Amino acid sequence: LLAMSLRVRLLSKKKPEGWAKVEGPLFEFEERLRVAVDDPHDGKRKAESSWPIHRIHYEKNRFIYDLYYRQQAISRELYEFLVREKVVDAALISKWRKPGYEILCSMSAINKSGTNFGTASICRVPLAQRGGQIMPSVTTGCVSCVSGDGIDGGPVWWTDPYTAWAAKKKADRKSKRKAEAPLDPDTEARLKSLRGDDGSSVAGGGAPLEADVDARLRALRGE
């Protein structure tokens, strides 16, 4: 068993001060990993069976990363012990400290040799730049681990309600771009005329805009 493997592997090792603070959570992560590996995966595609494993791996390493780098709650000696004993993924944690990789879901996501076209995983493409249906990475189950796209300081995973969230995020960005783009004088004048802002009236003065006028307004706004 994976949980026992960690216990046995570290049984004879001298633990640095602070080990008691991380021991329980680390063994819990190992147990969750064991359950994920042993899951029968009925009805799932082969690739999907590894998605929970990638997520648990991320969460375990993030737990240690936060304790050491953000909270300064564990010593350097303990952190280096965990790295040396391969309890944590030093390469992944190191990546999190670099701009643009703050919430990288897995080293697999940037392993270009693991994709058909020699590119990074789809979860490394900003949601705003994607077209069509937004789907998770086939390898990791991560929808997006691009800085700025995450949820609650972490990646967007396949279990998150990301479809509506991503659609709203894209719509908000589109609206913001429209709001920031100034209208040229001619377009602005035509808009004012259609709205009656220039003192003229539309459809008998104060009447609601007709459907064709409303459509012209939307076209002018780029909607």
Side-chain angles (χ1 to χ4, degrees):
L1 298 180
L2 291 173
M4 289 300 295
S5 174
L6 180 60
R7 291 178 187 273
V8 171
R9 186 155 54 86
L10 301 180
L11 186 61
S12 61
K13 304 289 184 178
K14 182 179 179 181
K15 317 298 193 304
E17 183 179 353
W19 167 252
K21 181 178 293 186
V22 301
E23 178 181 17
L26 287 177
F27 288 152
E28 289 177 10
F29 281 120
E30 288 291 307
E31 175 61 19
R32 287 175 57 197
L33 185 59
R34 182 192 67 78
V35 172
V37 170
D38 291 344
D39 185 80
H41 310 138
D42 294 336
K44 297 179 182 178
R45 292 177 297 175
K46 184 178 180 181
E48 290 181 22
S49 64
S50 67
W51 291 2
I53 297 172
H54 283 283
R55 183 167 186 171
I56 294 167
H57 183 75
Y58 171 91
E59 291 175 356
K60 180 183 74 171
N61 284 280
R62 200 71 185 190
F63 167 69
I64 296 298
Y65 170 84
D66 287 342
L67 284 179
Y68 183 57
Y69 285 107
R70 292 191 170 182
Q71 302 173 23
Q72 288 83 47
I74 61 175
S75 66
R76 179 176 180 178
E77 181 185 9
L78 176 56
Y79 176 73
E80 291 180 347
F81 170 81
L82 297 174
V83 170
R84 187 168 60 251
E85 297 300 329
K86 300 189 186 316
V87 178
V88 297
D89 188 339
L92 180 59
I93 291 177
S94 178
K95 275 293 183 183
W96 288 339
R97 304 190 69 202
K98 298 180 179 179
Y101 296 91
E102 292 90 347
I103 57 172
L104 177 67
C105 66
S106 169
M107 292 299 291
S108 299
I110 55 174
N111 180 13
K112 297 182 179 181
S113 63
T115 61
N116 293 333
F117 302 101
T119 59
S121 173
I122 186 63
C123 60
R124 295 300 300 161
V125 179
L127 291 172
Q129 296 180 17
R130 299 190 209 175
Q133 187 177 6
I134 295 175
M135 299 293 291
S137 162
V138 174
T139 303
T140 66
C142 173
V143 179
S144 178
C145 56
V146 176
S147 300
D149 277 351
I151 294 178
D152 297 328
V156 184
W157 297 100
W158 77 99
T159 53
D160 293 319
Y162 61 86
T163 302
W165 171 83
K168 182 179 184 303
K169 194 176 185 72
K170 293 176 74 173
D172 289 345
R173 287 178 176 173
K174 184 176 180 181
S175 297
K176 184 178 180 181
R177 287 196 298 270
K178 285 182 180 179
E180 292 174 347
L183 294 174
D184 63 81
D186 182 57
T187 301
E188 181 66 26
R190 293 169 65 191
L191 276 172
K192 286 183 177 180
S193 176
L194 286 169
R195 288 194 298 257
D197 293 346
D198 60 351
S200 63
S201 62
V202 178
L209 291 175
E210 295 179 355
D212 61 332
V213 176
D214 189 40
R216 291 169 63 191
L217 273 172
R218 289 198 301 271
L220 283 169
R221 297 191 189 103
E223 297 177 355

